[in-house]
PDB file of all heavy atoms in Angstrom:
ATOM      1  N   ILE A 336      22.260   0.681   5.885  1.00  0.00           N
ATOM      2  CA  ILE A 336      22.704   2.068   6.008  1.00  0.00           C
ATOM      3  C   ILE A 336      21.551   3.022   5.761  1.00  0.00           C
ATOM      4  O   ILE A 336      20.608   2.711   5.019  1.00  0.00           O
ATOM      5  CB  ILE A 336      23.871   2.364   5.040  1.00  0.00           C
ATOM      6  CG1 ILE A 336      23.389   2.233   3.579  1.00  0.00           C
ATOM      7  CG2 ILE A 336      25.053   1.467   5.297  1.00  0.00           C
ATOM      8  CD1 ILE A 336      24.430   2.698   2.569  1.00  0.00           C
ATOM      9  N   GLN A 337      21.627   4.181   6.359  1.00  0.00           N
ATOM     10  CA  GLN A 337      20.613   5.223   6.192  1.00  0.00           C
ATOM     11  C   GLN A 337      21.008   6.099   5.014  1.00  0.00           C
ATOM     12  O   GLN A 337      22.008   6.810   5.057  1.00  0.00           O
ATOM     13  CB  GLN A 337      20.506   6.061   7.472  1.00  0.00           C
ATOM     14  CG  GLN A 337      19.348   7.033   7.476  1.00  0.00           C
ATOM     15  CD  GLN A 337      18.007   6.330   7.627  1.00  0.00           C
ATOM     16  OE1 GLN A 337      17.936   5.217   8.128  1.00  0.00           O
ATOM     17  NE2 GLN A 337      16.945   6.977   7.201  1.00  0.00           N
ATOM     18  N   LEU A 338      20.228   6.039   3.943  1.00  0.00           N
ATOM     19  CA  LEU A 338      20.537   6.803   2.741  1.00  0.00           C
ATOM     20  C   LEU A 338      20.024   8.230   2.875  1.00  0.00           C
ATOM     21  O   LEU A 338      18.920   8.454   3.390  1.00  0.00           O
ATOM     22  CB  LEU A 338      19.912   6.139   1.510  1.00  0.00           C
ATOM     23  CG  LEU A 338      20.406   4.722   1.186  1.00  0.00           C
ATOM     24  CD1 LEU A 338      19.633   4.168   0.003  1.00  0.00           C
ATOM     25  CD2 LEU A 338      21.892   4.730   0.880  1.00  0.00           C
ATOM     26  N   PRO A 339      20.790   9.212   2.398  1.00  0.00           N
ATOM     27  CA  PRO A 339      20.302  10.608   2.402  1.00  0.00           C
ATOM     28  C   PRO A 339      19.249  10.797   1.318  1.00  0.00           C
ATOM     29  O   PRO A 339      19.557  10.777   0.124  1.00  0.00           O
ATOM     30  CB  PRO A 339      21.576  11.421   2.116  1.00  0.00           C
ATOM     31  CG  PRO A 339      22.480  10.482   1.393  1.00  0.00           C
ATOM     32  CD  PRO A 339      22.180   9.107   1.894  1.00  0.00           C
ATOM     33  N   MET A 340      17.999  10.976   1.699  1.00  0.00           N
ATOM     34  CA  MET A 340      16.895  11.043   0.745  1.00  0.00           C
ATOM     35  C   MET A 340      16.080  12.312   0.948  1.00  0.00           C
ATOM     36  O   MET A 340      15.997  12.841   2.055  1.00  0.00           O
ATOM     37  CB  MET A 340      15.993   9.814   0.872  1.00  0.00           C
ATOM     38  CG  MET A 340      16.611   8.531   0.361  1.00  0.00           C
ATOM     39  SD  MET A 340      15.467   7.133   0.385  1.00  0.00           S
ATOM     40  CE  MET A 340      15.301   6.899   2.152  1.00  0.00           C
ATOM     41  N   LYS A 341      15.462  12.767  -0.152  1.00  0.00           N
ATOM     42  CA  LYS A 341      14.514  13.883  -0.141  1.00  0.00           C
ATOM     43  C   LYS A 341      13.213  13.394  -0.772  1.00  0.00           C
ATOM     44  O   LYS A 341      13.230  12.824  -1.863  1.00  0.00           O
ATOM     45  CB  LYS A 341      15.083  15.072  -0.921  1.00  0.00           C
ATOM     46  CG  LYS A 341      16.309  15.705  -0.287  1.00  0.00           C
ATOM     47  CD  LYS A 341      16.795  16.889  -1.091  1.00  0.00           C
ATOM     48  CE  LYS A 341      17.310  16.455  -2.464  1.00  0.00           C
ATOM     49  NZ  LYS A 341      17.880  17.603  -3.215  1.00  0.00           N
ATOM     50  N   ALA A 342      12.100  13.622  -0.086  1.00  0.00           N
ATOM     51  CA  ALA A 342      10.806  13.133  -0.543  1.00  0.00           C
ATOM     52  C   ALA A 342       9.890  14.297  -0.879  1.00  0.00           C
ATOM     53  O   ALA A 342       9.837  15.293  -0.151  1.00  0.00           O
ATOM     54  CB  ALA A 342      10.159  12.245   0.514  1.00  0.00           C
ATOM     55  N   MET A 343       9.199  14.160  -2.007  1.00  0.00           N
ATOM     56  CA  MET A 343       8.142  15.081  -2.414  1.00  0.00           C
ATOM     57  C   MET A 343       6.972  14.238  -2.895  1.00  0.00           C
ATOM     58  O   MET A 343       7.072  13.006  -2.977  1.00  0.00           O
ATOM     59  CB  MET A 343       8.637  16.023  -3.520  1.00  0.00           C
ATOM     60  CG  MET A 343       9.780  16.933  -3.105  1.00  0.00           C
ATOM     61  SD  MET A 343      10.346  17.988  -4.475  1.00  0.00           S
ATOM     62  CE  MET A 343       8.852  18.931  -4.806  1.00  0.00           C
ATOM     63  N   LEU A 344       5.839  14.870  -3.211  1.00  0.00           N
ATOM     64  CA  LEU A 344       4.679  14.138  -3.685  1.00  0.00           C
ATOM     65  C   LEU A 344       5.004  13.464  -5.020  1.00  0.00           C
ATOM     66  O   LEU A 344       5.299  14.127  -6.008  1.00  0.00           O
ATOM     67  CB  LEU A 344       3.476  15.071  -3.854  1.00  0.00           C
ATOM     68  CG  LEU A 344       2.838  15.578  -2.562  1.00  0.00           C
ATOM     69  CD1 LEU A 344       1.718  16.556  -2.875  1.00  0.00           C
ATOM     70  CD2 LEU A 344       2.312  14.420  -1.736  1.00  0.00           C
ATOM     71  N   GLY A 345       4.973  12.131  -5.020  1.00  0.00           N
ATOM     72  CA  GLY A 345       5.244  11.380  -6.233  1.00  0.00           C
ATOM     73  C   GLY A 345       6.698  11.368  -6.643  1.00  0.00           C
ATOM     74  O   GLY A 345       6.986  11.030  -7.799  1.00  0.00           O
ATOM     75  N   MET A 346       7.623  11.671  -5.721  1.00  0.00           N
ATOM     76  CA  MET A 346       9.044  11.751  -6.084  1.00  0.00           C
ATOM     77  C   MET A 346       9.901  11.437  -4.856  1.00  0.00           C
ATOM     78  O   MET A 346       9.609  11.886  -3.756  1.00  0.00           O
ATOM     79  CB  MET A 346       9.375  13.143  -6.618  1.00  0.00           C
ATOM     80  CG  MET A 346      10.806  13.318  -7.085  1.00  0.00           C
ATOM     81  SD  MET A 346      11.135  15.038  -7.572  1.00  0.00           S
ATOM     82  CE  MET A 346       9.860  15.311  -8.797  1.00  0.00           C
ATOM     83  N   LEU A 347      10.957  10.638  -5.075  1.00  0.00           N
ATOM     84  CA  LEU A 347      11.881  10.280  -4.006  1.00  0.00           C
ATOM     85  C   LEU A 347      13.297  10.301  -4.575  1.00  0.00           C
ATOM     86  O   LEU A 347      13.586   9.614  -5.554  1.00  0.00           O
ATOM     87  CB  LEU A 347      11.545   8.895  -3.450  1.00  0.00           C
ATOM     88  CG  LEU A 347      12.272   8.464  -2.177  1.00  0.00           C
ATOM     89  CD1 LEU A 347      11.898   9.387  -1.027  1.00  0.00           C
ATOM     90  CD2 LEU A 347      11.927   7.019  -1.830  1.00  0.00           C
ATOM     91  N   THR A 348      14.202  11.115  -3.953  1.00  0.00           N
ATOM     92  CA  THR A 348      15.557  11.315  -4.454  1.00  0.00           C
ATOM     93  C   THR A 348      16.565  10.874  -3.408  1.00  0.00           C
ATOM     94  O   THR A 348      16.436  11.213  -2.229  1.00  0.00           O
ATOM     95  CB  THR A 348      15.792  12.792  -4.813  1.00  0.00           C
ATOM     96  OG1 THR A 348      14.844  13.193  -5.804  1.00  0.00           O
ATOM     97  CG2 THR A 348      17.193  12.999  -5.363  1.00  0.00           C
ATOM     98  N   VAL A 349      17.592  10.107  -3.865  1.00  0.00           N
ATOM     99  CA  VAL A 349      18.700   9.715  -3.017  1.00  0.00           C
ATOM    100  C   VAL A 349      19.971  10.314  -3.610  1.00  0.00           C
ATOM    101  O   VAL A 349      20.145  10.349  -4.827  1.00  0.00           O
ATOM    102  CB  VAL A 349      18.818   8.175  -2.905  1.00  0.00           C
ATOM    103  CG1 VAL A 349      19.076   7.545  -4.250  1.00  0.00           C
ATOM    104  CG2 VAL A 349      19.910   7.789  -1.920  1.00  0.00           C
ATOM    105  N   SER A 350      20.886  10.828  -2.748  1.00  0.00           N
ATOM    106  CA  SER A 350      22.104  11.502  -3.185  1.00  0.00           C
ATOM    107  C   SER A 350      23.311  10.644  -2.841  1.00  0.00           C
ATOM    108  O   SER A 350      23.461  10.195  -1.690  1.00  0.00           O
ATOM    109  CB  SER A 350      22.226  12.880  -2.519  1.00  0.00           C
ATOM    110  OG  SER A 350      21.147  13.722  -2.906  1.00  0.00           O
ATOM    111  N   VAL A 351      24.179  10.439  -3.842  1.00  0.00           N
ATOM    112  CA  VAL A 351      25.419   9.688  -3.677  1.00  0.00           C
ATOM    113  C   VAL A 351      26.574  10.671  -3.793  1.00  0.00           C
ATOM    114  O   VAL A 351      26.705  11.374  -4.807  1.00  0.00           O
ATOM    115  CB  VAL A 351      25.543   8.579  -4.726  1.00  0.00           C
ATOM    116  CG1 VAL A 351      26.835   7.786  -4.516  1.00  0.00           C
ATOM    117  CG2 VAL A 351      24.335   7.662  -4.688  1.00  0.00           C
ATOM    118  N   SER A 352      27.431  10.745  -2.767  1.00  0.00           N
ATOM    119  CA  SER A 352      28.548  11.689  -2.766  1.00  0.00           C
ATOM    120  C   SER A 352      29.603  11.287  -3.793  1.00  0.00           C
ATOM    121  O   SER A 352      29.854  10.089  -4.020  1.00  0.00           O
ATOM    122  CB  SER A 352      29.185  11.762  -1.373  1.00  0.00           C
ATOM    123  OG  SER A 352      28.241  12.200  -0.419  1.00  0.00           O
ATOM    124  N   LEU A 353      30.177  12.299  -4.448  1.00  0.00           N
ATOM    125  CA  LEU A 353      31.254  12.086  -5.405  1.00  0.00           C
ATOM    126  C   LEU A 353      32.557  12.603  -4.819  1.00  0.00           C
ATOM    127  O   LEU A 353      32.574  13.620  -4.109  1.00  0.00           O
ATOM    128  CB  LEU A 353      30.924  12.792  -6.727  1.00  0.00           C
ATOM    129  CG  LEU A 353      29.702  12.289  -7.486  1.00  0.00           C
ATOM    130  CD1 LEU A 353      29.528  13.075  -8.769  1.00  0.00           C
ATOM    131  CD2 LEU A 353      29.813  10.806  -7.790  1.00  0.00           C
ATOM    132  N   PRO A 354      33.708  11.973  -5.101  1.00  0.00           N
ATOM    133  CA  PRO A 354      33.830  10.783  -5.944  1.00  0.00           C
ATOM    134  C   PRO A 354      33.279   9.538  -5.259  1.00  0.00           C
ATOM    135  O   PRO A 354      33.170   9.472  -4.033  1.00  0.00           O
ATOM    136  CB  PRO A 354      35.336  10.668  -6.169  1.00  0.00           C
ATOM    137  CG  PRO A 354      35.927  11.315  -4.968  1.00  0.00           C
ATOM    138  CD  PRO A 354      35.020  12.450  -4.603  1.00  0.00           C
ATOM    139  N   VAL A 355      32.952   8.529  -6.089  1.00  0.00           N
ATOM    140  CA  VAL A 355      32.395   7.296  -5.566  1.00  0.00           C
ATOM    141  C   VAL A 355      33.466   6.541  -4.787  1.00  0.00           C
ATOM    142  O   VAL A 355      34.612   6.422  -5.228  1.00  0.00           O
ATOM    143  CB  VAL A 355      31.848   6.430  -6.715  1.00  0.00           C
ATOM    144  CG1 VAL A 355      31.284   5.121  -6.184  1.00  0.00           C
ATOM    145  CG2 VAL A 355      30.780   7.190  -7.484  1.00  0.00           C
ATOM    146  N   THR A 356      33.105   6.032  -3.635  1.00  0.00           N
ATOM    147  CA  THR A 356      34.007   5.262  -2.783  1.00  0.00           C
ATOM    148  C   THR A 356      33.513   3.823  -2.699  1.00  0.00           C
ATOM    149  O   THR A 356      32.373   3.521  -3.091  1.00  0.00           O
ATOM    150  CB  THR A 356      34.061   5.877  -1.375  1.00  0.00           C
ATOM    151  OG1 THR A 356      32.747   5.777  -0.783  1.00  0.00           O
ATOM    152  CG2 THR A 356      34.479   7.342  -1.435  1.00  0.00           C
ATOM    153  N   PRO A 357      34.345   2.916  -2.203  1.00  0.00           N
ATOM    154  CA  PRO A 357      33.866   1.531  -2.050  1.00  0.00           C
ATOM    155  C   PRO A 357      32.635   1.415  -1.165  1.00  0.00           C
ATOM    156  O   PRO A 357      31.844   0.483  -1.316  1.00  0.00           O
ATOM    157  CB  PRO A 357      35.073   0.816  -1.429  1.00  0.00           C
ATOM    158  CG  PRO A 357      36.257   1.605  -1.881  1.00  0.00           C
ATOM    159  CD  PRO A 357      35.794   3.032  -1.921  1.00  0.00           C
ATOM    160  N   GLU A 358      32.436   2.351  -0.242  1.00  0.00           N
ATOM    161  CA  GLU A 358      31.264   2.299   0.626  1.00  0.00           C
ATOM    162  C   GLU A 358      29.991   2.728  -0.092  1.00  0.00           C
ATOM    163  O   GLU A 358      28.905   2.235   0.206  1.00  0.00           O
ATOM    164  CB  GLU A 358      31.482   3.186   1.866  1.00  0.00           C
ATOM    165  CG  GLU A 358      32.499   2.651   2.856  1.00  0.00           C
ATOM    166  CD  GLU A 358      33.923   2.820   2.366  1.00  0.00           C
ATOM    167  OE1 GLU A 358      34.126   3.645   1.433  1.00  0.00           O
ATOM    168  OE2 GLU A 358      34.826   2.137   2.871  1.00  0.00           O
ATOM    169  N   THR A 359      30.110   3.653  -1.040  1.00  0.00           N
ATOM    170  CA  THR A 359      28.913   4.161  -1.739  1.00  0.00           C
ATOM    171  C   THR A 359      28.655   3.462  -3.059  1.00  0.00           C
ATOM    172  O   THR A 359      27.570   3.605  -3.626  1.00  0.00           O
ATOM    173  CB  THR A 359      29.039   5.667  -1.983  1.00  0.00           C
ATOM    174  OG1 THR A 359      30.221   5.921  -2.765  1.00  0.00           O
ATOM    175  CG2 THR A 359      29.127   6.421  -0.669  1.00  0.00           C
ATOM    176  N   ALA A 360      29.628   2.730  -3.597  1.00  0.00           N
ATOM    177  CA  ALA A 360      29.414   2.015  -4.856  1.00  0.00           C
ATOM    178  C   ALA A 360      28.479   0.830  -4.626  1.00  0.00           C
ATOM    179  O   ALA A 360      28.336   0.326  -3.514  1.00  0.00           O
ATOM    180  CB  ALA A 360      30.748   1.549  -5.423  1.00  0.00           C
ATOM    181  N   GLY A 361      27.812   0.395  -5.698  1.00  0.00           N
ATOM    182  CA  GLY A 361      26.924  -0.763  -5.616  1.00  0.00           C
ATOM    183  C   GLY A 361      25.607  -0.513  -6.314  1.00  0.00           C
ATOM    184  O   GLY A 361      25.464   0.422  -7.116  1.00  0.00           O
ATOM    185  N   GLN A 362      24.628  -1.339  -6.013  1.00  0.00           N
ATOM    186  CA  GLN A 362      23.303  -1.278  -6.643  1.00  0.00           C
ATOM    187  C   GLN A 362      22.312  -0.570  -5.719  1.00  0.00           C
ATOM    188  O   GLN A 362      22.186  -0.914  -4.544  1.00  0.00           O
ATOM    189  CB  GLN A 362      22.796  -2.687  -6.966  1.00  0.00           C
ATOM    190  CG  GLN A 362      23.586  -3.388  -8.058  1.00  0.00           C
ATOM    191  CD  GLN A 362      23.059  -4.784  -8.323  1.00  0.00           C
ATOM    192  OE1 GLN A 362      22.705  -5.509  -7.405  1.00  0.00           O
ATOM    193  NE2 GLN A 362      23.003  -5.165  -9.586  1.00  0.00           N
ATOM    194  N   TYR A 363      21.602   0.407  -6.289  1.00  0.00           N
ATOM    195  CA  TYR A 363      20.545   1.138  -5.598  1.00  0.00           C
ATOM    196  C   TYR A 363      19.208   0.756  -6.245  1.00  0.00           C
ATOM    197  O   TYR A 363      19.063   0.820  -7.468  1.00  0.00           O
ATOM    198  CB  TYR A 363      20.765   2.639  -5.695  1.00  0.00           C
ATOM    199  CG  TYR A 363      21.968   3.137  -4.910  1.00  0.00           C
ATOM    200  CD1 TYR A 363      23.261   2.983  -5.407  1.00  0.00           C
ATOM    201  CD2 TYR A 363      21.816   3.760  -3.684  1.00  0.00           C
ATOM    202  CE1 TYR A 363      24.363   3.432  -4.704  1.00  0.00           C
ATOM    203  CE2 TYR A 363      22.907   4.218  -2.961  1.00  0.00           C
ATOM    204  CZ  TYR A 363      24.176   4.051  -3.480  1.00  0.00           C
ATOM    205  OH  TYR A 363      25.264   4.501  -2.771  1.00  0.00           O
ATOM    206  N   ILE A 364      18.231   0.374  -5.419  1.00  0.00           N
ATOM    207  CA  ILE A 364      16.930  -0.079  -5.927  1.00  0.00           C
ATOM    208  C   ILE A 364      15.838   0.840  -5.402  1.00  0.00           C
ATOM    209  O   ILE A 364      15.733   1.079  -4.195  1.00  0.00           O
ATOM    210  CB  ILE A 364      16.637  -1.530  -5.509  1.00  0.00           C
ATOM    211  CG1 ILE A 364      17.621  -2.489  -6.174  1.00  0.00           C
ATOM    212  CG2 ILE A 364      15.218  -1.917  -5.887  1.00  0.00           C
ATOM    213  CD1 ILE A 364      17.334  -3.943  -5.881  1.00  0.00           C
ATOM    214  N   CYS A 365      15.001   1.344  -6.334  1.00  0.00           N
ATOM    215  CA  CYS A 365      13.784   2.068  -5.973  1.00  0.00           C
ATOM    216  C   CYS A 365      12.616   1.093  -6.065  1.00  0.00           C
ATOM    217  O   CYS A 365      12.374   0.506  -7.119  1.00  0.00           O
ATOM    218  CB  CYS A 365      13.558   3.261  -6.910  1.00  0.00           C
ATOM    219  SG  CYS A 365      12.026   4.155  -6.580  1.00  0.00           S
ATOM    220  N   THR A 366      11.890   0.918  -4.967  1.00  0.00           N
ATOM    221  CA  THR A 366      10.807  -0.062  -4.900  1.00  0.00           C
ATOM    222  C   THR A 366       9.501   0.629  -4.545  1.00  0.00           C
ATOM    223  O   THR A 366       9.450   1.463  -3.644  1.00  0.00           O
ATOM    224  CB  THR A 366      11.113  -1.145  -3.851  1.00  0.00           C
ATOM    225  OG1 THR A 366      12.370  -1.747  -4.152  1.00  0.00           O
ATOM    226  CG2 THR A 366      10.035  -2.215  -3.841  1.00  0.00           C
ATOM    227  N   LEU A 367       8.430   0.262  -5.275  1.00  0.00           N
ATOM    228  CA  LEU A 367       7.076   0.736  -4.992  1.00  0.00           C
ATOM    229  C   LEU A 367       6.227  -0.437  -4.533  1.00  0.00           C
ATOM    230  O   LEU A 367       6.263  -1.507  -5.140  1.00  0.00           O
ATOM    231  CB  LEU A 367       6.426   1.359  -6.233  1.00  0.00           C
ATOM    232  CG  LEU A 367       7.080   2.564  -6.886  1.00  0.00           C
ATOM    233  CD1 LEU A 367       6.198   3.065  -8.023  1.00  0.00           C
ATOM    234  CD2 LEU A 367       7.334   3.671  -5.895  1.00  0.00           C
ATOM    235  N   LEU A 368       5.460  -0.247  -3.479  1.00  0.00           N
ATOM    236  CA  LEU A 368       4.451  -1.213  -3.050  1.00  0.00           C
ATOM    237  C   LEU A 368       3.084  -0.612  -3.327  1.00  0.00           C
ATOM    238  O   LEU A 368       2.740   0.450  -2.797  1.00  0.00           O
ATOM    239  CB  LEU A 368       4.603  -1.546  -1.567  1.00  0.00           C
ATOM    240  CG  LEU A 368       3.544  -2.505  -1.003  1.00  0.00           C
ATOM    241  CD1 LEU A 368       3.644  -3.869  -1.683  1.00  0.00           C
ATOM    242  CD2 LEU A 368       3.690  -2.647   0.508  1.00  0.00           C
ATOM    243  N   LEU A 369       2.288  -1.296  -4.171  1.00  0.00           N
ATOM    244  CA  LEU A 369       0.981  -0.791  -4.557  1.00  0.00           C
ATOM    245  C   LEU A 369      -0.091  -1.259  -3.580  1.00  0.00           C
ATOM    246  O   LEU A 369       0.126  -2.156  -2.759  1.00  0.00           O
ATOM    247  CB  LEU A 369       0.640  -1.255  -5.974  1.00  0.00           C
ATOM    248  CG  LEU A 369       1.673  -0.920  -7.054  1.00  0.00           C
ATOM    249  CD1 LEU A 369       1.165  -1.350  -8.413  1.00  0.00           C
ATOM    250  CD2 LEU A 369       2.004   0.564  -7.047  1.00  0.00           C
ATOM    251  N   GLU A 370      -1.258  -0.646  -3.677  1.00  0.00           N
ATOM    252  CA  GLU A 370      -2.361  -0.978  -2.783  1.00  0.00           C
ATOM    253  C   GLU A 370      -2.865  -2.400  -2.996  1.00  0.00           C
ATOM    254  O   GLU A 370      -3.426  -3.007  -2.089  1.00  0.00           O
ATOM    255  CB  GLU A 370      -3.520   0.011  -2.992  1.00  0.00           C
ATOM    256  CG  GLU A 370      -3.213   1.431  -2.571  1.00  0.00           C
ATOM    257  CD  GLU A 370      -3.072   1.576  -1.061  1.00  0.00           C
ATOM    258  OE1 GLU A 370      -3.493   0.647  -0.330  1.00  0.00           O
ATOM    259  OE2 GLU A 370      -2.544   2.606  -0.602  1.00  0.00           O
TER     260      GLU A 370
END
Side-chain angles (χ1 to χ4, degrees):
I336 65 172
Q337 188 72 23
L338 298 176
M340 289 185 291
K341 294 181 294 184
M343 297 178 62
L344 288 176
M346 183 185 304
L347 190 63
T348 301
V349 62
S350 297
V351 181
S352 300
L353 296 181
V355 179
T356 64
E358 289 75 18
T359 59
Q362 292 179 320
Y363 291 78
I364 294 184
C365 177
T366 304
L367 300 184
L368 177 63
L369 306 184
E370 293 291 345

